[in-house]
Short mmCIF file of all heavy atoms in Angstrom, two decimals:
data_model
loop_
_atom_site.label_atom_id
_atom_site.label_comp_id
_atom_site.label_asym_id
_atom_site.label_seq_id
_atom_site.Cartn_x
_atom_site.Cartn_y
_atom_site.Cartn_z
N ILE A 29 161.59 87.53 90.07
CA ILE A 29 161.84 88.94 89.72
C ILE A 29 160.68 89.78 90.24
O ILE A 29 159.55 89.65 89.75
CB ILE A 29 161.98 89.12 88.19
CG1 ILE A 29 163.10 88.23 87.64
CG2 ILE A 29 162.24 90.58 87.85
CD1 ILE A 29 163.21 88.27 86.12
N PRO A 30 160.90 90.65 91.22
CA PRO A 30 159.82 91.51 91.72
C PRO A 30 159.36 92.47 90.62
O PRO A 30 160.11 92.80 89.70
CB PRO A 30 160.48 92.27 92.89
CG PRO A 30 161.72 91.51 93.21
CD PRO A 30 162.17 90.86 91.94
N ASP A 31 158.11 92.92 90.73
CA ASP A 31 157.57 93.85 89.74
C ASP A 31 158.41 95.12 89.64
O ASP A 31 158.51 95.73 88.56
CB ASP A 31 156.13 94.22 90.10
CG ASP A 31 155.18 93.04 89.95
OD1 ASP A 31 155.54 92.11 89.20
OD2 ASP A 31 154.12 93.04 90.60
N SER A 32 159.03 95.50 90.76
CA SER A 32 159.83 96.73 90.77
C SER A 32 161.19 96.56 90.11
O SER A 32 161.92 97.54 89.90
CB SER A 32 160.03 97.21 92.21
OG SER A 32 160.69 96.20 92.98
N LEU A 33 161.56 95.29 89.82
CA LEU A 33 162.88 95.03 89.25
C LEU A 33 162.80 94.43 87.84
O LEU A 33 163.65 93.65 87.43
CB LEU A 33 163.68 94.10 90.17
CG LEU A 33 164.07 94.70 91.53
CD1 LEU A 33 164.83 93.69 92.37
CD2 LEU A 33 164.92 95.97 91.34
N GLY A 34 161.76 94.81 87.10
CA GLY A 34 161.70 94.46 85.69
C GLY A 34 160.99 93.17 85.39
O GLY A 34 160.22 92.63 86.18
N LYS A 35 161.28 92.62 84.20
CA LYS A 35 160.66 91.40 83.71
C LYS A 35 161.72 90.47 83.14
O LYS A 35 162.87 90.85 82.94
CB LYS A 35 159.61 91.73 82.63
CG LYS A 35 158.45 92.57 83.14
CD LYS A 35 157.45 92.84 82.01
CE LYS A 35 156.28 93.66 82.51
NZ LYS A 35 155.30 93.93 81.43
N PHE A 36 161.28 89.24 82.84
CA PHE A 36 162.20 88.24 82.32
C PHE A 36 162.27 88.36 80.79
O PHE A 36 161.39 87.89 80.08
CB PHE A 36 161.75 86.84 82.72
CG PHE A 36 162.72 85.75 82.37
CD1 PHE A 36 163.84 85.51 83.15
CD2 PHE A 36 162.52 84.95 81.25
CE1 PHE A 36 164.74 84.51 82.83
CE2 PHE A 36 163.41 83.94 80.91
CZ PHE A 36 164.52 83.73 81.71
N LEU A 37 163.31 89.02 80.31
CA LEU A 37 163.59 89.15 78.88
C LEU A 37 162.36 89.57 78.08
O LEU A 37 161.84 88.81 77.24
CB LEU A 37 164.14 87.82 78.32
CG LEU A 37 165.40 87.27 79.01
CD1 LEU A 37 165.77 85.91 78.45
CD2 LEU A 37 166.56 88.24 78.86
N PRO A 38 161.85 90.78 78.32
CA PRO A 38 160.65 91.24 77.61
C PRO A 38 160.85 91.28 76.11
O PRO A 38 161.92 91.61 75.60
CB PRO A 38 160.43 92.65 78.19
CG PRO A 38 161.76 93.06 78.73
CD PRO A 38 162.42 91.81 79.21
N ALA A 39 159.79 90.93 75.37
CA ALA A 39 159.87 90.81 73.91
C ALA A 39 160.09 92.15 73.23
O ALA A 39 160.66 92.21 72.13
CB ALA A 39 158.60 90.15 73.38
N ASP A 40 159.65 93.24 73.85
CA ASP A 40 159.75 94.55 73.20
C ASP A 40 161.06 95.27 73.51
O ASP A 40 161.24 96.42 73.13
CB ASP A 40 158.57 95.43 73.63
CG ASP A 40 158.50 95.61 75.15
OD1 ASP A 40 159.26 94.92 75.87
OD2 ASP A 40 157.68 96.44 75.61
N ALA A 41 161.98 94.59 74.19
CA ALA A 41 163.27 95.22 74.55
C ALA A 41 164.36 94.78 73.57
O ALA A 41 164.33 93.67 73.03
CB ALA A 41 163.66 94.86 75.96
N THR A 42 165.34 95.65 73.36
CA THR A 42 166.48 95.34 72.50
C THR A 42 167.64 94.83 73.34
O THR A 42 168.08 95.50 74.28
CB THR A 42 166.93 96.59 71.72
OG1 THR A 42 165.82 97.08 70.95
CG2 THR A 42 168.10 96.27 70.81
N ASN A 43 168.13 93.64 73.00
CA ASN A 43 169.23 93.01 73.73
C ASN A 43 169.05 93.09 75.25
O ASN A 43 169.88 93.63 75.98
CB ASN A 43 170.56 93.68 73.34
CG ASN A 43 171.14 93.09 72.07
OD1 ASN A 43 170.43 92.47 71.29
ND2 ASN A 43 172.43 93.31 71.85
N PRO A 44 167.96 92.52 75.77
CA PRO A 44 167.76 92.53 77.22
C PRO A 44 168.63 91.47 77.89
O PRO A 44 168.97 90.45 77.27
CB PRO A 44 166.28 92.21 77.36
CG PRO A 44 166.00 91.32 76.19
CD PRO A 44 166.85 91.85 75.07
N ILE A 45 168.96 91.68 79.13
CA ILE A 45 169.68 90.69 79.94
C ILE A 45 169.07 90.68 81.33
O ILE A 45 168.63 91.73 81.84
CB ILE A 45 171.19 91.00 80.00
CG1 ILE A 45 171.95 89.84 80.69
CG2 ILE A 45 171.46 92.32 80.71
CD1 ILE A 45 173.47 89.96 80.59
N VAL A 46 169.01 89.51 81.91
CA VAL A 46 168.48 89.36 83.28
C VAL A 46 169.63 88.88 84.16
O VAL A 46 170.27 87.87 83.86
CB VAL A 46 167.31 88.36 83.32
CG1 VAL A 46 166.89 88.10 84.76
CG2 VAL A 46 166.14 88.89 82.51
N ILE A 47 169.89 89.61 85.23
CA ILE A 47 170.98 89.28 86.14
C ILE A 47 170.42 89.15 87.56
O ILE A 47 169.26 89.46 87.81
CB ILE A 47 172.09 90.35 86.10
CG1 ILE A 47 171.56 91.69 86.64
CG2 ILE A 47 172.64 90.51 84.68
CD1 ILE A 47 172.62 92.77 86.73
N SER A 48 171.25 88.71 88.49
CA SER A 48 170.81 88.56 89.87
C SER A 48 171.13 89.81 90.68
O SER A 48 171.91 90.67 90.26
CB SER A 48 171.51 87.36 90.52
OG SER A 48 172.90 87.63 90.70
N THR A 49 170.54 89.90 91.85
CA THR A 49 170.82 91.04 92.75
C THR A 49 172.29 91.04 93.17
O THR A 49 172.89 92.11 93.31
CB THR A 49 169.93 90.97 94.00
OG1 THR A 49 170.07 89.68 94.61
CG2 THR A 49 168.48 91.18 93.64
N LYS A 50 172.85 89.84 93.36
CA LYS A 50 174.26 89.76 93.75
C LYS A 50 175.17 90.29 92.65
O LYS A 50 176.15 91.00 92.91
CB LYS A 50 174.64 88.33 94.11
CG LYS A 50 174.06 87.86 95.45
CD LYS A 50 174.59 86.49 95.81
CE LYS A 50 174.11 86.08 97.20
NZ LYS A 50 174.70 86.93 98.25
N THR A 51 174.88 89.92 91.40
CA THR A 51 175.67 90.42 90.27
C THR A 51 175.51 91.92 90.13
O THR A 51 176.49 92.64 89.86
CB THR A 51 175.25 89.72 88.97
OG1 THR A 51 175.42 88.30 89.12
CG2 THR A 51 176.07 90.20 87.79
N ALA A 52 174.29 92.41 90.31
CA ALA A 52 174.05 93.86 90.23
C ALA A 52 174.84 94.61 91.30
O ALA A 52 175.39 95.69 91.05
CB ALA A 52 172.55 94.14 90.39
N GLU A 53 174.92 94.02 92.49
CA GLU A 53 175.69 94.67 93.56
C GLU A 53 177.18 94.70 93.23
O GLU A 53 177.86 95.69 93.48
CB GLU A 53 175.45 93.92 94.87
CG GLU A 53 174.05 94.10 95.44
CD GLU A 53 173.78 93.17 96.60
OE1 GLU A 53 174.71 92.40 96.98
OE2 GLU A 53 172.65 93.19 97.15
#
């Protein structure tokens, strides 16, 4: 995960999700 594209499930976020660039597209 590049710094410009967030973090891996940050603790201070509510219901975070991590997806791939392909899924985002």
Side-chain angles (χ1 to χ4, degrees):
I29 303 175
D31 292 338
S32 59
L33 293 178
K35 297 181 179 180
F36 187 79
L37 303 175
D40 58 351
T42 302
N43 276 20
I45 188 171
V46 174
I47 65 175
S48 69
T49 53
K50 287 186 175 294
T51 301
E53 290 170 2

